[in-house]
C-alpha cells in the first residue's frame, strides 16, 4: 500500500508535514541531490514528449513567467494538456488539496496532538462533510460530455506524475497516487466549501446561546444584517423579516448563569484555532463602464483572497482550441478558467456569502436515545463508520470512528465534539452536496461565452459554490450577478438553528437561477467585496443576513467615484489601498474612553497623540495601526472570554467574520458584552478600553521599545509565505520566501487577514489577494495579472516565487493573449504528440 502525504492547511502547523524527515539519511540525501542538481521541469527550452491518448499534437508556449499558453486542435486534447501542465508544475499541491478534502491526514503523520484535538479528529471532521463519498457519486453520475472532459484532464495529470516526481515525495520517500476523475470533484467541493461562510456565523450564535441563552446571544451576535452599503440598490418597500430564533426552539436555550473557567485564560492557549475555519476565502471584484475608463472600454479588476501558501493557491494558464480561447487563473486540479477573459468578455469572481447552509437541532426520542423525532415520526440515527488510516510504527493501522446522521445531515457534535458542552442537543448540518458535475460543465461553457449574457447564462449552471461575478464585454455592457444553490427561507431567518422535528422549517425549494441577483448596464460601475448583495429588508427573497462588513466595498466605491476616468494605474492603486475604514469608525470612541486616564503615562500619552492624528492608512511603517489593533484585540478577548467556554471562545475568536460583530460592540459604550459577568459594579466600554490599552502598551513596549513613534505595524503584521515543509531549518532558506513586513488589515481593500486568537503571532498575515488581475477590454491582448508567489511549485525553479517581488508592490506581469506575440516571446516550447507507432 502506498503512503501518500497530506497537508494540514493551518499556516502555523506546517511542521507536521515533515516531522523530522530531513534527519533521515535517505530523505536528506534526496534533498541534497536535488539542491545540487535540481531536475525541475524546464520552461526555457524546446522539448517534444509522447502523450498516449492524444488525438493530435498540442503545443505549449511558456512565457517569461513560465505561464503555459496551450494550443490544441480539439477541446479534449486541450483539457488533456491542461491536466499535464498543471500537474507538471503543481502536482504536490493538487495532491494535498484532494487529501484535505477526503480526510486522509493521519495516513502520513499518524495520530498526533493537533491544536485542541488530533490529526484523526481533523480527518474525521472532513469525512463528516462528505466530500469523499459525494465526489465518487459525482464521478459515477457524470454526463457523457463531462465524463470525457474529466477523464481527459485526469489522463494528462497522470502522465505528468509518471514523468516527473516532485521533490516532496522524495523527501517523504513515498510515491504519489494517481489522480482519479473524482479527485477533481473533491477539490471542487473543497473550493466551494471554503467560500461557504454563513454556517460559521450560525454556529457562533449557537455556541453563545448554549452558554448564555438565546436572548443574550442575540444581543452579542445579532441576527441582523450589517448596517452599511450593498452592491445593488433596494428594489422593494421595507418588509418585516421572518424570526431568527423560532418559538419551537427557544425553550432549549434558556438564560444560563455565568460559569467561570477553571482557570484564567492563558495567552499560550489562544492558538488552538478550530479547523472548521481554515480555508475560508474572500475576494474583491469590480468593473467600470466605458464612461469611467480612459480607453473608452470597460475595465474588470479582480483579486481573490485565500491563504498564502507556496506555491500559490491559484494557477495561471491560457487555453486555446476551436471555439475556445480563454486566459486567466484557476485552482490547480480544475480544468478551466475561473477568473479571466476571452476575445470578447472579461469576468472576475467573489464569494457571495449567501445562506447556503443551515443547522438543525434534533430532538432525541425520550424513549430511545438512538432515535430522534421528525415531522413523520421517530427515526433512528444513521451511523456512518469512518475508517481512518493512521500511520503507526511504519505501518498503516485502521481506526474506526462513527458519525451519526439525521435526515438533515451529519451531527456537528460528532464532527467537532469539543465545541459542544455536555448539555448541547444534537445539531445536524444541512448542506447541498450535489451539483459539482453540472458546475464543471457550466465553467466550460462560460470560458467559451461570446457575450456577457452568454457567460452569465453559463455560470447559472454552476450549482455550487454560491459565487458573485463582475464582468464586461467588448460591446460596453457591464454586469453583476450571483450563481449557485441557495434554499428559500420563508419561515426563519437562517441565522440560528431551527428544529428538525417541525416540517415548517424543511427545505422545500431553492432560489431559481433567474431569481438570483443580476443587473446589467453601460454606465458607472459594479463592485463586490463579500458585502451584502442587496439589503434583505427590501427584498421578497431572503438571500442572506450574514456577510462581510461593507468596509472594502465602501472604500472601493469611494475610490472609483473619486477618479473620472480609470486605467491600469488607478486600478492598481485601488487594489493596493490599505486605508482602514474600521479604524475610522472605532478610533474616535477609543480616544474618548482613554481621554484623561491616569494609566497613560508618557508612553501612553505619546501613543494616544499618534492615534488622534492618524489618517487611518495602515502602511507597514506606521505605528498607529499597531496601536489600534493591539487595543482592539485585547478589548475583544476580555469582552468575550466570560461569555462562552474555552473551545467556544477559540472558535469565535478565529471565525473570520467575528470582527463584524465586535465592531457593533464598540459602537455602544453600554453594550452588555463590556460588563464582566460575575463581577460588580457593572463595567462599560470605557473600563474595557482602559484595561485593553494598558495590556496593548505592555505588549508593544516589550516588542518594539518605549518610543511609540518608532513602532511599526509591519513588525507585528508580517507575511512569511512558506512551503509546506518550510518550518524545517535545514531547508527553510531553500523552500521559503523572505519575510515581508506587511501593511493593510482585516478589511482594507488589500485584505491582509490575521488570526486574532493566535497567541504567538496574532497579527501575522495568513491570507489575502493570492491573485490580482486588471483587464481593459480596449486591449485584451495586453491585460495584466500577478500571483503572490509564482506559477511553479518546484523549489529552485526560476518560477517558484518569481512574481512575489512585483506582487508586494502591486505590480503585474503581462497577460499575453495575442498568439503571434506569444510565439515570438516564448522562452520555451513544449510539444505534446501522439506516440508514433513503431515499425515492424
Amino acid at each position: 500500500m502506498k503512503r501518500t502525504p497530506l497537508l494540514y492547511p493551518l499556516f502555523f502547523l506546517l511542521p507536521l508535514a515533515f516531522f523530522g524527515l530531513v534527519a533521515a539519511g535517505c530523505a536528506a540525501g534526496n534533498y541534497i541531490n536535488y539542491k545540487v542538481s535540481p531536475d525541475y521541469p524546464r520552461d526555457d527550452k524546446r522539448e517534444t514528449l509522447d502523450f498516449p491518448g492524444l488525438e493530435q499534437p498540442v503545443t505549449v508556449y511558456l512565457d517569461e513567467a513560465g505561464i503555459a499558453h496551450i494550443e490544441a486542435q480539439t477541446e479534449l486534447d486541450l483539457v488533456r494538456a491542461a491536466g499535464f501542465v498543471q500537474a507538471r508544475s503543481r502536482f504536490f499541491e493538487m495532491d494535498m488539496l484532494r487529501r484535505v478534502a477526503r480526510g486522509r491526514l493521519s495516513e502520513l503523520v499518524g495520530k498526533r496532538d493537533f491544536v485542541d484535538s488530533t490529526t484523526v479528529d481533523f480527518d474525521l471532521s472532513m469525512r463528516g462533510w462528505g466530500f469523499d463519498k459525494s465526489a465518487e457519486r459525482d464521478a459515477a453520475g457524470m454526463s457523457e460530455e463531462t465524463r470525457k472532459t474529466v477523464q481527459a484532464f485526469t489522463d494528462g495529470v497522470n502522465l505528468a506524475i509518471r514523468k516527473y516526481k516532485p521533490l516532496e515525495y522524495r523527501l517523504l520517500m513515498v510515491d504519489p497516487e494517481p489522480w482519479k476523475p473524482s479527485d477533481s470533484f473533491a477539490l471542487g467541493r473543497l473550493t466551494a466549501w471554503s467560500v461557504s461562510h454563513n454556517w460559521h456565523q450560525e454556529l457562533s450564535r449557537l455556541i453563545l446561546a448554549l452558554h448564555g441563552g438565546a436572548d443574550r446571544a442575540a444581543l452579542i451576535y445579532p441576527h441582523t444584517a450589517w448596517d452599511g452599503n450593498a452592491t445593488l440598490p433596494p428594489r422593494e418597500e421595507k418588509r418585516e423579516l421572518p424570526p431568527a430564533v423560532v418559538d419551537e426552539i427557544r425553550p432549549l436555550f434558556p438564560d444560563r448563569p455565568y460559569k467561570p473557567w477553571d482557570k484564567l485564560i492563558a495567552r499560550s492557549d489562544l492558538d488552538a484555532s478550530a479547523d472548521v475555519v481554515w480555508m475560508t476565502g474572500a475576494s474583491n471584484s469590480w468593473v467600470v463602464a466605458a464612461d469611467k475608463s480612459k480607453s473608452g472600454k470597460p475595465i474588470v479588476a479582480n483579486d481573490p483572497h485565500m491563504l498564502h501558501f507556496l506555491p500559490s493557491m491559484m494557477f495561471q494558464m491560457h487555453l486555446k482550441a476551436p471555439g475556445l480561447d480563454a486566459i486567466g487563473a484557476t485552482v490547480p486540479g480544475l480544468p478551466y478558467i475561473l477568473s479571466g477573459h476571452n476575445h470578447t468578455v472579461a469576468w472576475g469572481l467573489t464569494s457571495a456569502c449567501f445562506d447556503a447552509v443551515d443547522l438543525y437541532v434534533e430532538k432525541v426520542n425520550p424513549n430511545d436515545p438512538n432515535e430522534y423525532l421528525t415531522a413523520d415520526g421517530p427515526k433512528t440515527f444513521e451511523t456512518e463508520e469512518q475508517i481512518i488510516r493512521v500511520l503507526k510504527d511504519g505501518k498503516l493501522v485502521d481506526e474506526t470512528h462513527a458519525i451519526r446522521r439525521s435526515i438533515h445531515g451529519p451531527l456537528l457534535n460528532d464532527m467537532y465534539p469539543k465545541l459542544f458542552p455536555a448539555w448541547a442537543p444534537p445539531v445536524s448540518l444541512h448542506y447541498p452536496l450535489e451539483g459539482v458535475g453540472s458546475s464543471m460543465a457550466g465553467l466550460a461553457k462560460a470560458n467559451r461565452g461570446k457575450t456577457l449574457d452568454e457567460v452569465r447564462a453559463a455560470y447559472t449552471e454552476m450549482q455550487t459554490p454560491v459565487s458573485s461575478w463582475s464582468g464586461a464585454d467588448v460591446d460596453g455592457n457591464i454586469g453583476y450577478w450571483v450563481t449557485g444553490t441557495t434554499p428559500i427561507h420563508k419561515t426563519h431567518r437562517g441565522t440560528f438553528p431551527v428544529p428538525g422535528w417541525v416540517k415548517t422549517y424543511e427545505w422545500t425549494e431553492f432560489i431559481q437561477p433567474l431569481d438570483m441577483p443580476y443587473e446589467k448596464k453601460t454606465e458607472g460601475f459594479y463592485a463586490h467585496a463579500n458585502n451584502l448583495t442587496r439589503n434583505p429588508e427590501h427584498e421578497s427573497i431572503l438571500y442572506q443576513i450574514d456577510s462581510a462588513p461593507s468596509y472594502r466595498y465602501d472604500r472601493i466605491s469611494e475610490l472609483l467615484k473619486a477618479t473620472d476616468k480609470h486605467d491600469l494605474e488607478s486600478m492598481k492603486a485601488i487594489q493596493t489601498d490599505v486605508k482602514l475604514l474600521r479604524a475610522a469608525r472605532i478610533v474616535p470612541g477609543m480616544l474618548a474612553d482613554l481621554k484623561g486616564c491616569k494609566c497613560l503615562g508618557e508612553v501612553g500619552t505619546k501613543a494616544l497623540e499618534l492615534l488622534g492624528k492618524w489618517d487611518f492608512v495602515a502602511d507597514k511603517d506606521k505605528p498607529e495601526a499597531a496601536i489600534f489593533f493591539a487595543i482592539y484585540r485585547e478589548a475583544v478577548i476580555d469582552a468575550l472570554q466570560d461569555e462562552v467556554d474555552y473551545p467556544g471562545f477559540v472558535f469565535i475568536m478565529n471565525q473570520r467574520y467575528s470582527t463584524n460583530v465586535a465592531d457593533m460592540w464598540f459602537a455602544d459604550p453600554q453594550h452588555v458584552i463590556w460588563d464582566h459577568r460575575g463581577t460588580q459594579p457593572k463595567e462599560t466600554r470605557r473600563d474595557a478600553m482602559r484595561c485593553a490599552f494598558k495590556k496593548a502598551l505592555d505588549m508593544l513596549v516589550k516588542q518594539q521599545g518605549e518610543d511609540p513613534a518608532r513602532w511599526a505595524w509591519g513588525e507585528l503584521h508580517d507575511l512569511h509565505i512558506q512551503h509546506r515543509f518550510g518550518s524545517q531549518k535545514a531547508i527553510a532558506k531553500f523552500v521559503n520566501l523572505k519575510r515581508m513586513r506587511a501593511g493593510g488589515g482585516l478589511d482594507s481593500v488589500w485584505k491582509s487577514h490575521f488570526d486574532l486568537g493566535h497567541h504567538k503571532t496574532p497579527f501575522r498575515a495568513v491570507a489575502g489577494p493570492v491573485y490580482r488581475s486588471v483587464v481593459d477590454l480596449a486591449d485584451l491582448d495586453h491585460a495584466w495579472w500577478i500571483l503572490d508567489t509564482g506559477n511553479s511549485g518546484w523549489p529552485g525553479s526560476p518560477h517558484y516565487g518569481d512574481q512575489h517581488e512585483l506582487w508586494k508592490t502591486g505590480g503585474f506581469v503581462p497577460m499575453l493573449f495575442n498568439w503571434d506575440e506569444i510565439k515570438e516571446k516564448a522562452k520555451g516550447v513544449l510539444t505534446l504528440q501522439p506516440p508514433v507507432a513503431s515499425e515492424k
Side-chain angles (χ1 to χ4, degrees):
M1 180 66 65
K2 293 180 179 179
R3 285 173 45 216
T4 310
L6 187 55
L7 157 74
Y8 184 78
L10 286 174
F11 182 83
F12 52 91
L13 293 169
L14 296 174
L16 279 175
F18 204 56
F19 73 107
L21 283 173
V22 167
C26 291
N30 289 337
Y31 165 66
I32 293 170
N33 289 338
Y34 179 84
K35 188 175 180 181
V36 171
S37 182
D39 58 351
Y40 53 79
R42 297 295 296 269
D43 296 330
D44 59 352
K45 66 177 184 178
R46 291 184 175 270
E47 187 177 5
T48 300
L49 299 176
D50 286 348
F51 196 140
L54 210 60
E55 298 171 15
Q56 298 182 55
V58 175
T59 307
V60 181
Y61 300 94
L62 297 156
D63 68 19
E64 191 171 2
I67 298 165
H69 303 259
I70 310 170
E71 187 174 27
Q73 304 307 308
T74 70
E75 189 165 334
L76 283 180
D77 278 351
L78 178 68
V79 173
R80 289 185 183 97
F84 178 83
V85 165
Q86 287 186 18
R88 175 180 180 267
S89 294
R90 297 282 196 91
F91 183 72
F92 181 68
E93 178 181 36
M94 293 165 63
D95 190 15
M96 299 302 96
L97 291 174
R98 68 169 168 177
R99 293 176 180 282
V100 166
R102 291 183 179 274
R104 294 175 58 192
L105 173 63
S106 304
E107 290 182 16
L108 175 67
V109 301
K111 186 172 184 176
R112 293 168 170 265
D113 290 339
F114 204 66
V115 286
D116 57 345
S117 58
T118 68
T119 52
V120 174
D121 293 332
F122 173 74
D123 285 344
L124 187 64
S125 67
M126 294 308 296
R127 297 286 182 88
W129 279 92
F131 302 152
D132 191 40
K133 290 184 177 180
S134 56
E136 297 298 331
R137 291 197 302 270
D138 287 333
M142 286 185 285
S143 67
E144 183 63 17
E145 181 182 2
T146 301
R147 185 193 66 77
K148 289 180 179 179
T149 298
V150 177
Q151 186 60 57
F153 181 81
T154 300
D155 292 343
V157 171
N158 288 329
L159 177 64
I161 63 176
R162 288 195 298 270
K163 181 170 177 59
Y164 308 102
K165 187 174 183 178
L167 170 63
E168 292 87 351
Y169 297 106
R170 301 176 218 179
L171 297 176
L172 293 165
M173 296 180 291
V174 297
D175 293 324
E177 291 185 4
W179 194 259
K180 300 188 299 182
S182 59
D183 289 329
S184 289
F185 292 118
L187 195 147
R189 290 185 179 282
L190 183 70
T191 304
W193 172 70
S194 74
V195 296
S196 300
H197 300 138
N198 72 283
W199 70 280
H200 299 156
Q201 286 92 303
E202 194 169 337
L203 182 52
S204 295
R205 294 185 180 97
L206 172 62
I207 291 170
L208 286 161
L210 287 170
H211 293 280
D215 293 336
R216 185 175 182 87
L219 294 174
I220 296 170
Y221 210 123
H223 300 271
T224 54
W226 177 261
D227 185 16
N229 292 313
T231 291
L232 300 179
R235 297 181 300 177
E236 302 171 15
E237 294 296 320
K238 187 174 181 178
R239 62 157 182 148
E240 185 175 347
L241 293 173
V245 182
V246 299
D247 291 340
E248 297 92 333
I249 208 169
R250 185 176 291 278
L252 295 179
F253 301 97
D255 293 344
R256 289 184 177 272
Y258 168 63
K259 181 181 179 182
W261 293 353
D262 293 336
K263 60 178 181 178
L264 292 177
I265 187 169
R267 292 296 186 262
S268 60
D269 291 333
L270 286 177
D271 60 346
S273 302
D275 56 82
V276 292
V277 296
W278 76 270
M279 194 184 167
T280 52
S283 297
N284 300 318
S285 186
W286 63 86
V287 54
V288 299
D291 65 316
K292 291 193 67 63
S293 166
K294 287 183 179 179
S295 71
K297 290 286 187 181
I299 304 175
V300 178
N302 189 204
D303 54 292
H305 306 153
M306 299 180 182
L307 290 179
H308 290 296
F309 283 137
L310 186 56
S312 176
M313 290 289 289
M314 298 201 80
F315 183 79
Q316 298 155 304
M317 65 180 183
H318 183 182
L319 305 174
K320 183 184 180 185
L324 191 158
D325 191 358
I327 187 170
T330 190
V331 173
L334 302 180
Y336 290 99
I337 302 300
L338 286 173
S339 171
H341 73 84
N342 55 32
H343 281 283
T344 53
V345 189
W347 63 93
L349 78 162
T350 61
S351 170
C353 301
F354 275 26
D355 193 350
V357 184
D358 275 335
L359 305 184
Y360 283 80
V361 172
E362 308 294 356
K363 182 180 287 186
V364 176
N365 186 349
N367 300 316
D368 186 346
N370 295 315
E371 292 185 342
Y372 62 101
L373 304 183
T374 76
D376 299 320
K379 292 185 181 294
T380 301
F381 283 111
E382 177 186 343
T383 300
E384 287 186 347
E385 285 194 346
Q386 296 291 344
I387 298 175
I388 308 296
R389 314 209 71 192
V390 184
L391 182 66
K392 186 176 182 180
D393 298 327
K395 297 180 181 180
L396 289 174
V397 179
D398 291 350
E399 284 196 16
T400 303
H401 297 263
I403 293 179
R404 292 169 294 167
R405 297 182 66 92
S406 73
I407 57 174
H408 302 110
L411 296 191
L412 287 174
N413 312 61
D414 294 346
M415 292 168 63
Y416 307 109
K418 293 188 178 182
L419 277 178
F420 290 85
W423 65 84
V427 180
S428 59
L429 178 79
H430 200 36
Y431 178 55
L433 286 175
E434 309 308 320
V436 173
S438 63
S439 296
M440 196 77 76
L443 188 60
K445 289 181 182 178
N447 281 207
R448 296 191 292 265
K450 296 180 180 179
T451 66
L452 190 64
D453 288 337
E454 285 186 11
V455 170
R456 183 233 173 184
Y459 276 128
T460 59
E461 296 184 23
M462 292 187 66
Q463 296 182 37
T464 185
V466 182
S467 298
S468 65
W469 307 83
S470 302
D473 61 27
V474 292
D475 293 328
N477 299 298
I478 66 169
Y480 172 84
W481 68 97
V482 180
T483 62
T485 301
T486 302
I488 293 179
H489 293 102
K490 292 182 178 179
T491 56
H492 66 102
R493 202 170 296 187
T495 56
F496 195 78
V498 289
W501 61 93
V502 181
K503 192 171 184 178
T504 305
Y505 306 110
E506 297 293 336
W507 288 6
T508 58
E509 54 184 325
F510 296 90
I511 301 172
Q512 294 299 304
L514 295 181
D515 289 332
M516 293 293 253
Y518 169 56
E519 274 197 11
K520 184 177 72 170
K521 59 187 179 183
T522 57
E523 296 179 338
F525 67 88
Y526 291 110
H528 190 257
N530 313 117
N531 53 288
L532 288 171
T533 292
R534 291 190 187 276
N535 187 324
E537 294 185 346
H538 292 267
E539 292 292 314
S540 58
I541 297 175
L542 183 56
Y543 302 110
Q544 65 185 141
I545 294 292
D546 292 314
S547 71
S550 62
Y551 299 129
R552 280 182 285 131
Y553 171 82
D554 293 341
R555 182 61 174 161
I556 292 167
S557 298
E558 176 186 346
L559 294 173
L560 288 175
K561 293 174 182 177
T563 298
D564 290 335
K565 302 287 185 179
H566 286 277
D567 58 9
L568 170 68
E569 290 303 316
S570 65
M571 293 296 180
K572 171 182 170 180
I574 298 174
Q575 287 183 331
T576 57
D577 185 80
V578 292
K579 186 168 184 176
L580 299 175
L581 296 190
R582 163 175 279 118
R585 171 182 176 136
I586 293 173
V587 165
M590 282 185 174
L591 295 172
D593 290 339
L594 294 170
K595 184 177 180 180
C597 179
K598 296 179 180 179
C599 63
L600 292 181
E602 184 179 352
V603 174
T605 300
K606 289 181 178 179
L608 278 191
E609 287 176 356
L610 290 169
L611 204 59
K613 297 176 181 179
W614 188 25
D615 60 3
F616 309 117
V617 174
D619 286 334
K620 64 181 183 298
D621 295 322
K622 285 193 172 186
E624 294 92 343
I627 299 167
F628 167 70
F629 276 120
I631 299 171
Y632 184 97
R633 176 177 182 264
E634 294 293 347
V636 171
I637 288 174
D638 287 342
L640 185 61
Q641 65 181 352
D642 64 331
E643 299 294 342
V644 292
D645 64 3
Y646 172 68
F649 170 84
V650 169
F651 175 83
I652 296 172
M653 281 295 296
N654 289 286
Q655 192 257 97
R656 178 151 295 189
Y657 289 142
S658 62
T659 49
N660 304 21
V661 181
D663 290 356
M664 299 179 190
W665 307 341
F666 282 96
D668 182 0
Q670 303 297 324
H671 197 286
V672 66
I673 195 74
W674 302 123
D675 181 33
H676 284 246
R677 301 172 75 189
T679 65
Q680 293 293 337
K682 180 181 178 181
E683 291 93 355
T684 66
R685 187 188 69 190
R686 181 184 179 186
D687 300 307
M689 210 63 60
R690 295 186 172 195
C691 181
F693 184 61
K694 185 178 185 303
K695 292 178 181 178
L697 285 184
D698 290 344
M699 182 272 291
L700 288 166
V701 167
K702 182 178 179 180
Q703 293 193 21
Q704 300 196 48
E706 294 190 355
D707 184 359
R710 298 177 66 86
W711 295 345
W713 173 224
E715 288 299 317
L716 295 178
H717 183 56
D718 62 341
L719 171 63
H720 193 188
I721 303 181
Q722 292 185 321
H723 184 276
R724 271 73 172 183
F725 299 168
S727 59
Q728 300 296 309
K729 292 182 179 179
I731 64 172
K733 289 185 178 180
F734 183 62
V735 301
N736 294 339
L737 298 180
K738 292 181 180 180
R739 173 182 175 269
M740 164 189 166
R741 296 165 72 247
L746 297 172
D747 284 287
S748 51
V749 180
W750 183 333
K751 185 174 176 65
S752 192
H753 188 83
F754 45 89
D755 292 327
L756 280 173
H758 193 271
H759 84 283
K760 291 182 179 178
T761 54
F763 304 112
R764 170 160 288 172
V766 295
V770 299
Y771 167 74
R772 297 191 189 103
S773 65
V774 175
V775 181
D776 189 332
L777 278 85
D779 188 4
L780 288 168
D781 288 340
H782 301 99
W784 298 90
W785 56 356
I786 196 80
L787 290 182
D788 55 343
T789 61
N791 220 36
S792 173
W794 290 76
S797 163
H799 306 301
Y800 180 64
D802 59 326
Q803 299 181 45
H804 181 64
E805 289 302 315
L806 274 174
W807 175 87
K808 289 196 313 187
T809 61
F812 293 95
V813 298
M815 194 177 190
L816 298 179
F817 192 59
N818 179 279
W819 283 93
D820 290 335
E821 187 176 2
I822 290 166
K823 294 172 185 179
E824 178 186 346
K825 294 183 177 181
K827 297 299 181 182
V829 179
L830 179 62
T831 302
L832 307 175
Q833 64 180 18
V836 178
S838 60
E839 296 182 4
K840 294 184 179 179

